[in-house]
């Protein structure tokens, strides 16, 4: 389980094909097997073919093996347990034990989380990992602890977000003027696109496909892996490579459930998911190198946007000044320690 695997869409599907169907929804115990002492339910909003679910299933299998069956992790993908805000509420109440919270979604509980989604803050993946594995990430995890959530050390990768549309490509900030675009249920997403003169609408991810299909919104923004695995290419024609925001997942655990685990199981659990997270980061980077060709073959038209016009519009609209004040000087300094001057 510890060795890295070359990841492709085909290897993801082969991995999933080798799992029994019950593994996708929480495998029952084999007849005669001792009942696990601890069972954790892990809910997420991503399709089973996404790298996150492939690696999560591997982590769950590893935990079962290394704990000698004392602990079982049941993975519930693809919004089986509700939308993002539903699962976030459930993990706080103890209805589920773990949820991979997107940076902007969980910012409704701990606003500092959204700082890693700051518009055009990061230039590359290494800048991201320097920030989230370092002092800034530690500050974010400490904020989650204050609202009753234990957070695993390593964030998982969702990648840089791109804009897709059914109406026209986005090459400069002016192309967003008046565009009806879906954003996550988060103040940061709304603020970013309002500052760019778009018309953002907050929807849970489970509602995105139908909203695009019925023209409730004309556009959305997500990393390419989400566009591909959620089949958004079926309802979107243009994909503009803006890299406007980085997104990742905090694996948050109900605090009471975590404290209830013996120390040896905490070690096994954290090691399995943190090491799987490092592998998933690389999986997504490799996958993104192939996705543009794949999506083009499905009819999407690509263009590369010019970042400078967006940054200028955000400065002009007071976006950076507003969020620097909201996050506070200390958090802003930790961000700039990793990426250089943002505004």
């Amino acid at each position: 389980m510890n060795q890295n695997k070359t990841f492709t869409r085909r290897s993801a599907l082969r991995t999933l094909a080798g799992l029994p169907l019950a593994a996708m929804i929480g495998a029952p115990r084999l007849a005669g097997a001792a009942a696990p002492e601890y069972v954790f339910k892990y809910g997420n909003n991503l399709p089973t073919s996404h790298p996150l679910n492939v690696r999560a299933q591997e982590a769950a299998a590893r935990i079962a093996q290394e704990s000698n069956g004392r602990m079982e992790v049941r993975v519930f993908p693809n919004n089986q347990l509700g939308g993002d805000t539903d699962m976030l509420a459930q993990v706080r109440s103890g209805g589920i034990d773990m949820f991979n919270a997107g940076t902007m979604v969980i910012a409704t509980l701990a606003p500092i989380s959204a700082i890693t989604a700051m518009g055009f803050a990061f230039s590359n993946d290494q800048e991201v990992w320097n920030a989230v594995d370092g002092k800034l990430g530690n500050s974010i995890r400490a904020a989650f602890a204050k609202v009753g959530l234990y957070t695993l050390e390593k964030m998982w990768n969702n990648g840089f977000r791109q804009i897709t549309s059914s109406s026209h490509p986005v090459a400069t900030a002016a192309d967003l003027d008046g565009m009806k675009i879906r954003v996550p249920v988060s103040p940061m997403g709304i603020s970013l696109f309002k500052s760019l003169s778009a018309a953002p609408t907050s929807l849970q991810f489970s509602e995105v496909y139908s909203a695009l299909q019925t023209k409730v919104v004309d556009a959305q923004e997500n990393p390419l892996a989400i566009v591909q695995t959620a089949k958004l290419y079926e309802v979107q024609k243009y994909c503009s490579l803006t890299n406007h925001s980085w997104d990742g997942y905090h694996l948050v655990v109900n605090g009471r459930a975590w404290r209830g685990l013996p120390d040896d199981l905490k070690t096994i659990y954290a090691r399995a998911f943190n090491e799987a997270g490092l592998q998933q980061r690389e999986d997504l980077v490799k996958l993104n190198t192939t996705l543009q060709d794949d999506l083009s073959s499905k009819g999407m038209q690509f263009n590369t946007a010019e970042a400078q016009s967006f940054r200028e519009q955000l400065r002009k609209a007071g976006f950076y000044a507003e969020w620097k004040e909201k996050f506070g000087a200390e958090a802003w300094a930790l961000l700039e320690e990793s990426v250089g001057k943002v505004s």
Side-chain angles (χ1 to χ4, degrees):
M1 286 294 180
N2 291 335
Q3 72 267 26
N4 283 316
K5 297 179 180 178
T6 301
F7 186 90
T8 65
R9 290 184 303 282
R10 290 189 179 88
S11 66
L13 293 171
R14 284 197 298 270
T15 300
L16 291 163
L19 292 169
L21 178 61
M24 301 299 180
I25 58 175
R29 299 188 304 276
L30 295 175
E37 298 174 47
Y38 301 90
V39 177
F40 269 23
K41 291 169 64 178
Y42 165 34
N44 68 70
N45 67 358
L46 296 171
T48 55
S49 59
H50 191 279
L52 179 140
N53 273 309
V54 175
R55 293 298 184 182
Q57 291 289 354
E58 291 181 355
R62 179 178 174 182
I63 289 165
Q65 180 181 29
E66 293 186 4
S67 70
N68 294 316
R70 291 170 58 208
M71 186 168 192
E72 179 183 348
V73 180
R74 299 177 181 174
V75 182
F76 295 83
N78 208 29
N79 294 296
Q80 289 182 32
L81 301 182
D84 288 348
T85 55
D86 301 322
M87 287 188 284
L88 183 57
Q90 289 180 67
V91 79
R92 292 193 74 199
S93 68
I96 60 176
D97 301 287
M98 188 167 78
F99 169 53
N100 54 282
T103 53
M104 290 191 285
V105 172
I106 200 169
T108 57
L109 294 180
I112 190 177
S113 169
I115 198 168
T116 57
M118 178 58 56
F120 299 95
F122 297 104
S123 299
N124 54 59
D125 290 302
Q126 192 54 55
E127 287 185 352
V128 170
W129 307 134
N130 290 344
V132 302
D133 291 341
K135 295 177 184 177
L136 182 61
N138 291 338
S139 293
I140 294 169
R141 288 182 280 275
F144 296 159
K146 292 178 181 178
V147 294
L149 297 172
Y150 174 78
T151 311
L152 292 170
E153 181 183 8
K154 298 301 181 183
M155 286 190 74
W156 290 40
N157 196 3
N158 196 17
F160 284 93
R161 302 177 79 91
Q162 321 296 349
I163 296 172
T164 70
S165 168
S166 61
S167 58
H168 60 269
V170 175
T172 68
D175 294 318
L176 282 171
D177 190 26
M179 178 179 279
K180 295 187 295 181
I181 184 168
R182 176 268 175 181
V183 298
V185 183
S186 73
M188 169 69 81
I190 294 171
S191 175
L192 176 65
F193 282 94
K194 278 190 174 179
S195 297
L196 292 169
S197 299
T201 298
S202 288
L203 295 171
Q204 296 202 54
F205 184 72
S206 56
E207 303 172 56
V208 171
Y209 187 99
S210 62
L212 293 169
Q213 188 176 42
T214 58
K215 305 296 185 182
V216 172
V217 292
D218 297 317
Q220 66 86 49
E221 46 85 53
N222 259 302
L224 292 184
I226 300 293
V227 176
Q228 198 268 348
T229 56
K231 299 185 177 180
L232 299 184
Y233 54 81
E234 294 178 347
V235 287
Q236 298 278 267
K237 181 177 181 179
Y238 303 98
C239 183
S240 301
L241 301 176
T242 52
N243 288 333
H244 58 273
S245 178
W246 178 81
D247 195 17
Y249 298 107
H250 295 280
L251 269 60
V252 293
V253 183
N254 175 273
R256 292 185 302 277
W258 183 256
R259 291 190 296 272
L261 287 180
D263 288 344
D264 65 323
L265 291 184
K266 288 179 182 175
T267 298
I268 290 170
Y269 193 98
R271 181 172 59 226
F273 273 103
N274 283 328
E275 291 183 5
L278 292 176
Q279 292 172 327
Q280 186 269 347
R281 291 179 182 182
E282 294 303 315
D283 292 343
L284 199 69
V285 170
K286 293 171 184 174
L287 182 59
N288 276 335
T289 63
T290 68
L291 281 177
Q292 185 171 337
D293 286 344
D294 181 75
L295 291 168
S296 293
S297 73
K298 292 177 167 62
M300 293 202 85
Q301 297 180 20
F302 281 81
N303 71 286
T304 300
E306 172 49 58
Q308 190 57 35
S309 71
F310 298 90
R311 292 193 184 99
E312 289 175 359
Q313 174 61 29
L314 291 174
R315 291 190 184 101
K316 180 180 177 182
F319 173 80
Y320 293 120
E322 174 189 353
W323 284 92
K324 181 176 181 179
E325 182 177 353
K326 286 183 176 180
F327 288 127
E330 182 178 351
W332 200 262
L334 291 176
L335 174 63
E336 294 192 330
E337 187 177 310
S338 298
V339 303
K341 191 170 178 59
V342 176
S343 59

